Amino acid sequence: MDVLTGLLDGPKARGAFLLKSVFDPPWSLRVEDRAPISLATMVQGSAWVMPDGGVPALIGPGDIAVLRGPDPYTIADAQDTPVQITVGPDQRCNTTVGEDVTDTMALGVRTWGDPLGQGSSVMLSGTYQAPGEIGRRLLGALPTLLVRPAALDDTPLVDLLAEEIGRDEPGQELVLDRLLDLLFVSVLRAWLAEPDAGAPAWYHARSDPRVGPALRLLHGDPAHAWTVDSLARKVGVSRAGLARRFAEVVGEPPMTYLASLRLAMAADLLRESDVTVATAAHQVGYSSAFALSTAFKRVRGVSPQEYRRSGASQVVLPTATPSRTVVLGSGG
């Protein structure tokens, strides 16, 4: 598995919350669902996406906004429109006076909004409940708000999602999950490929003549008993040279990177109910369940068993990345 595939392989929607919202201006939604990742795109009309503490961005038909949680944000027809409805952690919707309108504003299958309006604003939204741990390193580096304008992409994914979101067919949840994944990955690839858009330094390390091969080896066989010496021999460089260059380009030593990768893989495996801690330990390169448990608790603050019992979804994304809005195609 190459580095990019490993990084993009993490986001896999499982029963994601997808919705078509239909409004007439003025309208304003305050989203406080604490989802780790959300996507929004317009089918008709435009909307301002306003993350708390971040720079607002205007999106129109076909533009895709990716919001990195868990902080709240507001989506509205105009920046000064007062909030009318708040969306909570359980996707329940309440007015500013506390009236629950989740059911009364339902308009059909996965469709919600003003029952008396003409629907001049139509928005599609998708929410990841628990992104895969393999993608956590990538997702944690995302800006608070990332916008890919429609002009940068000619795929029919948004149109296809708009067509599929209101259907109630067998297997429809799986179809929608995969469409959400494709949309998300398309935005991530555009972000990673654009110069000066703020992609993490370790992503650019793929093209480094010394570090790139080392990363491919680590991702290709993370369970191998790697040392800096054995890695350097495989790459054909000196131990000191690889260690120095890896730290410069990636931002951490090779073995630190490998340990983080192994724990991320273990966390992802623990989401599967039939994988024991011992099996996960073996697959990612730890000598025993005890060794994995010790490392897991030291880094994550909980044991693998506690992590599994929490449903894995309670672990939030890193918040060290400063609040930042990136509109692709505008110089980052």
Side-chain angles (χ1 to χ4, degrees), residues 29-87:
L29 297 176
R30 172 75 172 169
V31 183
E32 298 179 350
D33 61 3
R34 296 191 61 78
I37 292 291
S38 299
L39 280 74
T41 183
M42 301 301 294
V43 177
Q44 292 177 205
S46 60
W48 281 94
V49 184
M50 298 171 281
D52 281 19
V55 177
L58 181 67
I59 61 172
D63 300 339
I64 301 175
V66 173
L67 290 127
R68 176 175 61 88
D71 294 336
Y73 59 92
T74 302
I75 299 184
D77 70 300
Q79 294 189 64
D80 58 354
T81 300
V83 172
Q84 298 160 348
I85 295 171
T86 298
V87 182

Side-chain angles (χ1 to χ4, degrees), residues 81 92 139 160 187 228 257 262 270 313:
T81 300
R92 303 299 297 182
L139 299 178
L160 186 56
V187 177
V228 179
Y257 181 92
R262 286 172 170 171
L270 289 169
S313 61

Side-chain angles (χ1 to χ4, degrees), residues 34-176:
R34 296 191 61 78
I37 292 291
S38 299
L39 280 74
T41 183
M42 301 301 294
V43 177
Q44 292 177 205
S46 60
W48 281 94
V49 184
M50 298 171 281
D52 281 19
V55 177
L58 181 67
I59 61 172
D63 300 339
I64 301 175
V66 173
L67 290 127
R68 176 175 61 88
D71 294 336
Y73 59 92
T74 302
I75 299 184
D77 70 300
Q79 294 189 64
D80 58 354
T81 300
V83 172
Q84 298 160 348
I85 295 171
T86 298
V87 182
D90 52 0
Q91 301 301 330
R92 303 299 297 182
C93 303
N94 292 275
T95 65
T96 54
V97 295
E99 179 188 1
D100 189 329
V101 293
T102 309
D103 299 324
T104 57
M105 292 183 66
L107 302 177
V109 178
R110 301 185 193 87
T111 306
W112 188 85
D114 184 355
L116 302 178
Q118 300 300 310
S120 59
S121 297
V122 179
M123 177 177 68
L124 307 180
S125 57
T127 300
Y128 281 86
Q129 305 299 324
E133 283 285 334
I134 293 297
R136 196 166 298 268
R137 179 185 292 267
L138 175 62
L139 299 178
L142 275 171
T144 309
L145 172 60
L146 176 62
V147 177
R148 191 202 68 191
L152 296 184
D153 188 72
D154 58 0
T155 63
L157 288 174
V158 172
D159 293 339
L160 186 56
L161 179 61
E163 180 181 338
E164 292 285 343
I165 200 167
R167 289 186 175 178
D168 190 16
E169 304 288 342
Q172 193 65 15
E173 184 177 281
L174 180 61
V175 170
L176 294 173

Side-chain angles (χ1 to χ4, degrees), residues 224-290:
H224 183 75
W226 293 110
T227 64
V228 179
D229 283 332
S230 63
L231 200 59
R233 285 196 301 271
K234 281 282 190 178
V235 175
V237 298
S238 70
R239 178 190 183 282
L242 176 62
R244 180 174 59 253
R245 182 61 180 166
F246 199 104
E248 288 174 355
V249 176
V250 179
E252 58 187 345
M255 295 301 99
T256 303
Y257 181 92
L258 176 59
S260 177
L261 176 63
R262 286 172 170 171
L263 289 178
M265 293 180 65
D268 208 30
L269 287 168
L270 289 169
R271 296 177 67 202
E272 307 295 335
S273 60
D274 59 343
V275 176
T276 65
V277 177
T279 299
H282 175 74
Q283 290 190 29
V284 304
Y286 282 90
S287 59
S288 65
F290 177 78

